[in-house]
Amino acid sequence: MSTPPPGLTRDQIAERAAQDIADGSYVNLGIGMPELIAQYVPEGREIVLHTENGLLGMGPAPAPDAVDPELINAGKKPVTANPGASYFHHADSFAMVRGGHLDLCVLGAMEVASNGDLANWSTGQSDAIPAVGGAMDLVSGVRVVRVMTTHCTRDGTPKLVEKCSYPLTGAGVVSRVYTDLAVVDVTPQGFAVMEIAPGWSFDEVAARTDAPLRDARPGVVA
Amino acid sequence: MSTPPPGLTRDQIAERAAQDIADGSYVNLGIGMPELIAQYVPEGREIVLHTENGLLGMGPAPAPDAVDPELINAGKKPVTANPGASYFHHADSFAMVRGGHLDLCVLGAMEVASNGDLANWSTGQSDAIPAVGGAMDLVSGVRVVRVMTTHCTRDGTPKLVEKCSYPLTGAGVVSRVYTDLAVVDVTPQGFAVMEIAPGWSFDEVAARTDAPLRDARPGVVA
Amino acid sequence: MIDKRVASAAEAVAEIADGETVMIGGFGEAGSPIELVHALIDQGASGLTVISNNAGNGQVGLAALIRCGQVAKIVGSYPRSSNSTVFADVYRAGRIELELVPQGTLAERIRAGGAGIPAFFTPTGAATELADGKEQRFFDGVPHVLEHALRADWALIKAAAADRHGNLLFNKTARNFGPIMAMAARTTVVQAASVGAPGSLDPETVATPGIFVNRVVQIADPAQEFDLVAQGAHYP
Amino acid sequence: MIDKRVASAAEAVAEIADGETVMIGGFGEAGSPIELVHALIDQGASGLTVISNNAGNGQVGLAALIRCGQVAKIVGSYPRSSNSTVFADVYRAGRIELELVPQGTLAERIRAGGAGIPAFFTPTGAATELADGKEQRFFDGVPHVLEHALRADWALIKAAAADRHGNLLFNKTARNFGPIMAMAARTTVVQAASVGAPGSLDPETVATPGIFVNRVVQIADPAQEFDLVAQGAHYP
């Protein structure tokens, strides 16, 4: 088969993920790639970003001369607060998370299984420093959990798998995955491809996925 | 035996109970008679009153023309807030109670048993309207629970008993009782009389108590 | 755009359906969302389960809702009132069910409902008849009971100030159950004396973040239940 | 008279004893009670169990406390740091124990410790290896784990403003664990940039009521851990 073109850039994935966020949503964006999504919320939609360290209504990064070291996000980077923001302590913040008050979170992933299992906190390696943060809370409490990730690791190993090999963050929690190659839904029948990156074929995406894929693109008869 | 003089007035009982409140204490005073205690805190001692509906630093009743219907105590009466006060919601208020943060509460009683059991919420009568409020929370969480009450009911029935006949508020919770006739401690050996009202004898108090009494007054050899 | 304002109390409570569970804020007469409760009386939903610390005062608000026969069950801690016989009369007539809960347990069960905690152990009420039939367990030698979260279809609460996002400030001890009921209901309806633009409230002082609020009705000059009861007012 | 002020950070932490449990506020570099932690380093108590979301940054604060060998165990959610290898080095050398807790469970366990709730069920972490060995139970068909309260001998936290009674205000996301740790310790020590008379703080906006606070030290111009780490500062 011919070599496909490059997949979507990180910004393009973020832009695609942002299109699915409804006006008025309360959203938590995971540390790293998912943070980019905030920059692509379509014009005319107002969303409220939650950062689990204690801020609802998070705004963009401040100008370098306006950094307040006591106003940071969960990734420990300086941020701002939008009009209508509020500050609260950690127990209240995770009451929002665990209590089902957030509409959506978009997290990074090491692996997503075709039953919706997510692994994104530990490689299980004995010399790694264990660290979990708020990921398990988010996946168990937020109404809709999506993932934004590269389709494969840097060495080409698929991240969409039949069964996670890394320790789980949560079981059966992911409903949709945005990658550089495709938009993939988790369904009762496993992974369903909803969209494919320009220049890529279903078979090329399937070859880079370690689980059965169903072609569910609108207009495509599988 | 000769008829003893009247016992202490409600104000005198309150004054006596107030003397045992240490400077700097956080205190909850039950609805009714115990509320009087606030008026008799000895000069030079600063105490902070908690009212479980959501105020720490409760002050005295306001002037009639300064009543705010949204500033009330647990007895639903208008109060004021002292400098250093704070308002909070009910879950935070009872976190203070249940979490052991209050030094002392003084409650009313229908019965106190010699093992410290307290009954003060229900007569168990089938036509009564059941109501418990915060009493059970207070007795299970506050470090020291004392009682202020008349020694007997209006019809002369003793309130200090060997075993409560009414439904319990809490088991083994009361450590000291202030009445119009005596100050009585609850000890591992049962009730111990620490002080007696002027003009009253130990035997006269014992005759109005429905449990064994030990005379533990300083200087008295039992 | 996030705009949780609705035009009237009637509109805010229009969808409350027969048989649903409604949390109603307030402690005694402080913090009662009188205008919302009266709108619920006008609306007529019946067979309601009401979660509220008390059972109303005088002949207005929750007492009137009960008198109108709309409440099948009360979950609360202190339904006795020195200024109303409405609950007592209906209860003695066997026309209302009561689940009596210690006040702190009531608050914690509501907070748990809002925080995604389905159940917790508490020492409150252990070794009393209110623990009968409940799972018990000892921690550090002290008996505790397992208590379950409370949630509701609706919460009706009163705030002093709000913004378009539903952020809330309360007034003094009228705060009482407002913030936790807002967390524990599927749809939280707030009456607020003022409703400003986002940014009108200091983010450090917001007592209820807007994420917990669904609808805000401005009632610029709310009646005080305290005053209505003192005046002998009767609703409807 | 209630006066919780103490003259210095050294005096405030003087009684912390070997083997005790210390909660340390802060998330990342925001809200770190740097001056209190440095006083604890000077004081020298060892064998401590530290409850803190992270495990320190750079070579100051909690990272320095660990480097000095004073910490036997960390209870936290995210001890990795992009700007410090202190914890990683000590952990790989087998010289520190780690109890890893999901961040929301950590917060809820601390809040439970302060609220007199010995244990609660949470869905977080169920069906993961962090639930291994824990009691599990289904609610509404969803697996939950039983988590136990966390308490401590000491809490060291940072506030923006305090009064003589120990009422506290915080600054933005530096609030993080401060209010709940204050509830869960036998002795809560606060460093605050300003300490006023009772009445200097608006009672509607107090984030931590003074009942949860035992000692207040004024540190008028506190160092920001963020700045110290950026400067490559090293303590002691």
Side-chain angles (χ1 to χ4, degrees):
Chain A
M1 71 192 173
S2 63
T3 305
L8 302 182
T9 64
R10 291 156 55 103
D11 285 274
Q12 287 171 320
I13 310 172
E15 186 171 9
R16 175 61 193 86
Q19 279 161 27
D20 289 344
I21 303 181
D23 187 26
S25 297
Y26 290 88
V27 179
N28 184 296
L29 299 175
I31 297 167
M33 261 170 64
E35 293 181 53
L36 282 175
I37 295 170
Q39 300 175 28
Y40 294 99
V41 175
E43 197 75 28
R45 295 188 203 169
E46 188 176 20
I47 69 166
V48 179
L49 293 176
H50 172 264
T51 181
E52 58 267 34
N53 53 315
L55 167 61
L56 197 66
M58 178 171 68
D65 62 351
V67 166
D68 181 338
E70 296 194 326
L71 178 47
I72 62 175
N73 66 11
K76 288 140 195 168
K77 293 202 227 24
V79 294
T80 52
N82 288 333
S86 55
Y87 299 107
F88 33 81
H89 63 59
H90 254 74
D92 282 349
S93 183
F94 281 91
M96 293 176 192
V97 171
R98 199 190 307 102
H101 302 283
L102 289 162
D103 298 298
L104 172 68
C105 70
V106 185
L107 301 175
M110 292 157 59
E111 290 174 329
V112 181
S114 54
N115 63 354
D117 289 359
L118 173 66
N120 75 348
W121 74 279
S122 167
T123 59
Q125 289 177 319
S126 63
D127 68 333
I129 302 302
V132 61
M136 288 185 183
D137 305 282
L138 288 163
V139 300
S140 65
V142 178
R143 289 181 203 141
V144 174
V145 177
R146 294 177 182 154
V147 159
M148 170 176 166
T149 182
T150 54
H151 208 86
C152 299
T153 64
R154 265 174 223 165
D155 70 3
T157 307
K159 290 184 166 187
L160 278 67
V161 297
E162 201 146 3
K163 188 174 186 318
C164 293
S165 62
Y166 296 136
L168 291 193
T169 306
V173 295
V174 175
S175 58
R176 171 167 276 201
V177 185
Y178 304 95
T179 80
D180 48 337
L181 307 188
V183 176
V184 180
D185 278 1
V186 173
T187 75
Q189 294 78 40
F191 286 131
V193 174
M194 307 307 292
E195 295 173 22
I196 285 183
W200 285 71
S201 71
F202 176 81
D203 288 345
E204 286 161 348
V205 173
R208 286 160 180 81
T209 304
D210 214 0
L213 269 194
R214 192 160 48 87
D215 195 347
R217 287 177 289 171
V220 174
V221 180
Chain B
M1 71 193 173
S2 63
T3 304
L8 302 183
T9 64
R10 291 157 53 103
D11 286 274
Q12 287 170 320
I13 310 172
E15 186 172 9
R16 175 62 194 85
Q19 279 160 27
D20 289 343
I21 303 181
D23 188 26
S25 297
Y26 289 88
V27 179
N28 183 295
L29 298 175
I31 297 166
M33 260 169 65
E35 293 180 55
L36 282 174
I37 294 171
Q39 300 176 27
Y40 292 100
V41 176
E43 197 76 26
R45 294 188 203 169
E46 188 177 20
I47 70 166
V48 178
L49 292 177
H50 172 264
T51 181
E52 59 265 34
N53 53 315
L55 166 61
L56 197 65
M58 178 172 68
D65 62 351
V67 167
D68 181 338
E70 296 195 326
L71 177 47
I72 62 174
N73 66 11
K76 289 142 195 166
K77 294 203 226 26
V79 295
T80 51
N82 288 331
S86 54
Y87 299 107
F88 32 81
H89 63 58
H90 253 75
D92 282 349
S93 183
F94 281 91
M96 293 177 191
V97 171
R98 199 191 307 102
H101 302 283
L102 289 161
D103 297 299
L104 172 68
C105 69
V106 185
L107 300 176
M110 291 156 60
E111 290 176 328
V112 181
S114 55
N115 64 353
D117 288 0
L118 173 66
N120 76 348
W121 73 280
S122 168
T123 58
Q125 290 176 319
S126 62
D127 68 334
I129 303 302
V132 62
M136 289 186 182
D137 305 282
L138 287 162
V139 301
S140 66
V142 178
R143 289 181 203 141
V144 175
V145 178
R146 292 177 183 154
V147 159
M148 170 175 167
T149 183
T150 54
H151 208 87
C152 299
T153 63
R154 265 173 224 167
D155 69 5
T157 308
K159 290 184 166 187
L160 277 68
V161 296
E162 201 147 2
K163 187 173 187 317
C164 293
S165 62
Y166 296 135
L168 291 192
T169 307
V173 295
V174 176
S175 58
R176 172 166 274 202
V177 184
Y178 304 95
T179 79
D180 48 336
L181 307 187
V183 177
V184 180
D185 277 0
V186 174
T187 75
Q189 294 78 40
F191 286 131
V193 173
M194 307 307 292
E195 295 172 23
I196 284 184
W200 285 71
S201 71
F202 177 81
D203 289 346
E204 286 161 348
V205 173
R208 287 160 180 79
T209 305
D210 213 1
L213 270 194
R214 191 160 49 87
D215 194 347
R217 286 175 292 171
V220 174
V221 178
Chain C
M1 152 132 161
I2 298 175
D3 189 351
K4 298 180 180 176
R5 291 174 295 180
V6 294
S8 68
E11 184 183 335
V13 305
E15 296 154 44
I16 300 180
D18 291 355
E20 288 194 315
T21 297
V22 184
M23 292 178 172
I24 299 181
F27 174 90
E29 293 152 330
S32 296
I34 283 281
E35 282 77 8
L36 292 177
V37 176
H38 288 175
L40 179 54
I41 291 173
D42 297 346
Q43 190 258 36
S46 66
L48 302 172
T49 292
V50 168
I51 300 173
S52 184
N53 190 65
N54 307 112
N57 300 286
Q59 295 287 340
V60 295
L62 177 53
L65 188 72
I66 294 169
R67 193 192 65 233
C68 291
Q70 295 176 255
V71 183
K73 180 179 177 180
I74 289 265
V75 181
S77 90
Y78 206 89
R80 270 205 298 261
S81 169
S82 60
N83 58 29
S84 183
T85 62
V86 169
F87 174 81
D89 294 343
V90 175
Y91 181 76
R92 289 209 181 90
R95 288 188 281 115
I96 197 166
E97 191 187 342
L98 172 66
E99 180 181 342
L100 191 70
V101 183
Q103 194 170 334
T105 298
L106 180 67
E108 190 67 10
R109 289 177 65 191
I110 295 169
R111 191 255 174 202
I117 301 296
F120 58 88
F121 286 99
T122 175
T124 298
T128 77
E129 65 181 43
L130 293 189
D132 288 352
K134 291 180 178 165
E135 181 175 334
Q136 301 213 28
R137 191 181 295 199
F138 282 78
F139 292 89
D140 287 335
V142 178
H144 288 70
V145 293
L146 184 69
E147 294 281 359
H148 291 262
L150 282 171
R151 287 191 54 81
D153 299 299
W154 300 86
L156 308 183
I157 66 173
K158 178 184 181 181
D163 69 17
R164 179 160 61 69
H165 282 196
N167 293 301
L168 306 180
L169 302 182
F170 297 88
N171 182 39
K172 306 187 184 73
T173 58
R175 188 183 308 199
N176 56 64
F177 283 90
I180 52 176
M181 287 182 171
M183 296 168 66
R186 195 190 63 223
T187 304
T188 292
V189 180
V190 178
Q191 62 168 81
S194 70
V195 185
S200 59
L201 307 180
D202 178 351
E204 296 282 10
T205 72
V206 167
T208 288
I211 192 171
F212 297 127
V213 171
N214 302 92
R215 300 178 187 177
V216 179
V217 192
Q218 184 172 7
I219 306 287
D221 190 15
Q224 289 290 347
E225 186 167 308
F226 182 88
D227 296 330
L228 295 179
V229 171
Q231 294 154 12
H234 203 282
Y235 197 88
Chain D
M1 152 133 160
I2 299 176
D3 189 352
K4 299 180 180 177
R5 291 173 296 181
V6 294
S8 68
E11 184 184 334
V13 305
E15 297 153 45
I16 299 180
D18 291 354
E20 288 193 315
T21 297
V22 184
M23 291 177 173
I24 300 181
F27 174 90
E29 293 151 330
S32 296
I34 282 282
E35 282 77 7
L36 293 177
V37 176
H38 288 175
L40 179 55
I41 291 173
D42 297 346
Q43 189 257 38
S46 67
L48 302 172
T49 292
V50 169
I51 300 172
S52 184
N53 191 64
N54 307 112
N57 299 285
Q59 295 287 340
V60 295
L62 176 53
L65 188 73
I66 294 169
R67 194 192 64 234
C68 292
Q70 295 175 254
V71 183
K73 179 179 176 181
I74 290 265
V75 181
S77 90
Y78 207 88
R80 270 206 298 261
S81 169
S82 59
N83 57 31
S84 182
T85 63
V86 169
F87 174 81
D89 294 344
V90 176
Y91 181 76
R92 289 208 182 90
R95 287 188 282 116
I96 197 165
E97 192 187 341
L98 171 66
E99 179 181 343
L100 191 70
V101 183
Q103 193 170 333
T105 299
L106 180 67
E108 190 67 11
R109 288 177 66 191
I110 294 168
R111 191 254 173 203
I117 301 295
F120 58 88
F121 286 98
T122 175
T124 299
T128 77
E129 65 181 43
L130 293 189
D132 288 353
K134 291 181 179 163
E135 181 175 334
Q136 300 213 30
R137 192 181 293 199
F138 283 78
F139 293 89
D140 286 335
V142 178
H144 288 70
V145 293
L146 184 69
E147 293 283 358
H148 291 263
L150 282 171
R151 287 192 54 82
D153 299 299
W154 300 85
L156 309 182
I157 65 174
K158 179 184 180 182
D163 68 18
R164 179 160 60 68
H165 283 198
N167 292 301
L168 306 179
L169 302 182
F170 297 88
N171 183 39
K172 305 188 182 75
T173 59
R175 187 183 308 199
N176 55 65
F177 284 91
I180 53 176
M181 288 182 171
M183 296 168 66
R186 196 189 63 223
T187 305
T188 293
V189 181
V190 178
Q191 63 168 78
S194 70
V195 184
S200 59
L201 307 179
D202 178 352
E204 296 282 10
T205 71
V206 167
T208 287
I211 193 170
F212 297 126
V213 171
N214 302 92
R215 301 178 187 178
V216 178
V217 193
Q218 184 172 8
I219 306 287
D221 191 17
Q224 290 288 348
E225 187 167 308
F226 182 89
D227 296 330
L228 295 179
V229 170
Q231 292 153 14
H234 204 282
Y235 196 89

